[in-house]
Amino acid sequence: MSNLAMSVRSTLVRVVRSRYFISGCLIASLVVRISWICLVVPEAISDFEWYYQRGVDISEGMGYSVNGIPTAFWPVGYPAFLGSLFSVVGPSLLVAKLANIILYMGILYLSYFVAKTLFVSEFCGRASLAILAFYPNHIAYSSLLSTEILFLFLLLLGTALLIKTSHRR
């Protein structure tokens, strides 16, 4: 291995092992996602618009319905989450996107915890965190109102809780 390659490798290892790596990744990820939702404003169409409108309807006491007719065509989970959020702070696309970013911060930390614990490797946990923190699709998706971010957060939270309880035995 050349001197340059060894120098780059040792620098990367030092950065990943740093005690500030996890908080640095989380803060940088937060800044990147906030910048993304401020700079890129996708139009809420199709499913994204539907989820938003059902959330608004729920927050305004109209229930989970379309044109006044109760529906269960799509699961109520994400619209109910938005409805709960909107009933506290009012309907806003920006608020929904900021909620996605908060959920994503949880996803990043839970991914780190799950990977570190399951693979018994701090490096694996940190690598998972870094990859998800800066993966372009995950950054772009934070500006869309869709079920995936809430689902992934709840899935990882359940997994982390299962891991925690199984290690107590």
Side-chain angles (χ1 to χ4, degrees), residues 11-156:
T11 302
L12 281 174
V13 167
R14 196 172 53 248
V15 167
V16 171
R17 288 184 178 166
S18 166
R19 69 183 212 183
Y20 302 110
F21 181 79
I22 295 168
S23 58
C25 275
L26 291 173
I27 291 168
S29 174
L30 180 66
V31 169
V32 167
R33 282 169 174 75
I34 289 174
S35 300
W36 179 261
I37 68 168
C38 289
L39 296 173
V40 178
V41 183
E43 187 178 342
I45 58 171
S46 186
D47 291 359
F48 313 125
E49 181 180 26
W50 197 90
Y51 293 131
Y52 176 77
Q53 193 54 53
R54 297 301 71 78
V56 170
D57 290 348
I58 290 170
S59 73
E60 293 175 350
M62 296 170 31
Y64 191 57
S65 61
V66 178
N67 299 324
I69 301 168
T71 184
F73 186 73
W74 280 320
V76 70
Y78 189 64
F81 170 75
L82 290 177
S84 300
L85 184 64
F86 294 162
S87 67
V88 173
V89 295
S92 165
L93 282 172
L94 180 61
V95 167
K97 291 175 184 182
L98 289 174
N100 279 349
I101 291 174
I102 291 167
L103 288 171
Y104 217 92
M105 293 301 102
I107 289 169
L108 293 174
Y109 186 77
L110 290 167
S111 296
Y112 157 75
F113 172 78
V114 168
K116 175 183 81 162
T117 307
L118 288 181
F119 295 105
V120 192
S121 167
E122 181 70 26
F123 178 80
C124 185
R126 288 173 181 237
S128 298
L129 171 63
I131 290 168
L132 289 176
F134 303 108
Y135 191 66
N137 286 354
H138 286 259
I139 294 167
Y141 222 75
S142 62
S143 67
L144 301 175
L145 302 187
S146 61
T147 62
E148 286 77 4
I149 293 176
L150 178 62
F151 174 78
L152 184 55
F153 173 77
L154 293 173
L155 177 70
L156 285 169

